[in-house]
Amino acid sequence: MSASPSPYLTQESEYNLSEDVVTKITEMAASFPEKNSALIPALHLIQDQFGWVPPPTIKQLAQLLKTTPNKIYGVLTFYTMFNLKPVGKYHIQICRNVSCSLLGAKHIIDYLTKKLHIQVGETTADGKFTLTLVECLGACGMAPVMMINDKYYENLDEKKVDQILKTLK
Ligand code: FES
């Protein structure tokens, strides 16, 4: 009878970078005098593969970029655009900065928490939505604003939020 693999090993292999991602990171790194300069685009590629940046991928990335996991963590935790834990199929990032706040962001945030039955930072039980607060999304003239995955939604009110959520299956 063979022993089952340890959960740690299973988890590691679950988070192996794809060949495609490894190739792209290697090519990017080779195009810079310092391999480390490819760090941010490499983190985006990892996030595209998994939806977040799983810790086991940091070791793999450190080897590819000839740097240390600690240096990668420093960059990873500085930028809010990188997810440090898994997010739902639809990642709602809503701006809470000045323009959006003045035009009702707090009300929209409260509305979303009630509608989705989650608090800020949480994911719905079905794994569909994650709600995150972010600073300025650079669309202040259209406040209040949120992003869902890569798409912007502007001039939000309750009715618009209802319509948007209805389209997300
Ligand atoms: S303040 Fe919300 S997008 Fe700038």
Side-chain angles (χ1 to χ4, degrees), residues 94-101 105 134-146 152:
I94 181 156
C95 173
R96 63 168 172 194
N97 217 309
V98 179
S99 301
C100 288
S101 291
V134 292
E135 300 306 330
C136 185
L137 287 169
C140 319
M142 313 293 180
V145 180
M146 68 180 173
Y152 274 73

Side-chain angles (χ1 to χ4, degrees), residues 118-129:
I118 53 172
Q119 296 303 310
V120 168
E122 293 181 347
T123 300
T124 52
D126 60 3
K128 202 165 156 189
F129 297 102

Side-chain angles (χ1 to χ4, degrees), residues 59-131:
K59 266 197 286 182
Q60 298 168 61
L61 183 58
Q63 283 167 359
L64 290 171
L65 298 184
K66 306 274 181 261
T67 185
T68 66
N70 276 350
K71 282 188 182 157
I72 295 177
Y73 272 113
V75 171
L76 187 57
T77 52
F78 180 79
Y79 293 103
T80 56
M81 64 206 172
F82 295 119
N83 303 321
L84 302 175
K85 58 184 186 180
V87 292
K89 180 177 178 190
Y90 299 109
H91 188 194
I92 302 173
Q93 298 184 75
I94 181 156
C95 173
R96 63 168 172 194
N97 217 309
V98 179
S99 301
C100 288
S101 291
L102 288 172
L103 290 167
K106 169 88 171 68
H107 179 75
I108 301 297
I109 293 163
D110 289 345
Y111 187 65
L112 279 164
T113 60
K114 282 194 195 105
K115 199 159 169 79
L116 299 173
H117 305 289
I118 53 172
Q119 296 303 310
V120 168
E122 293 181 347
T123 300
T124 52
D126 60 3
K128 202 165 156 189
F129 297 102
T130 299
L131 183 61

Side-chain angles (χ1 to χ4, degrees), residues 4-14:
S4 55
S6 81
Y8 182 74
L9 285 176
T10 305
Q11 201 181 12
E12 288 270 304
S13 61
E14 190 183 328

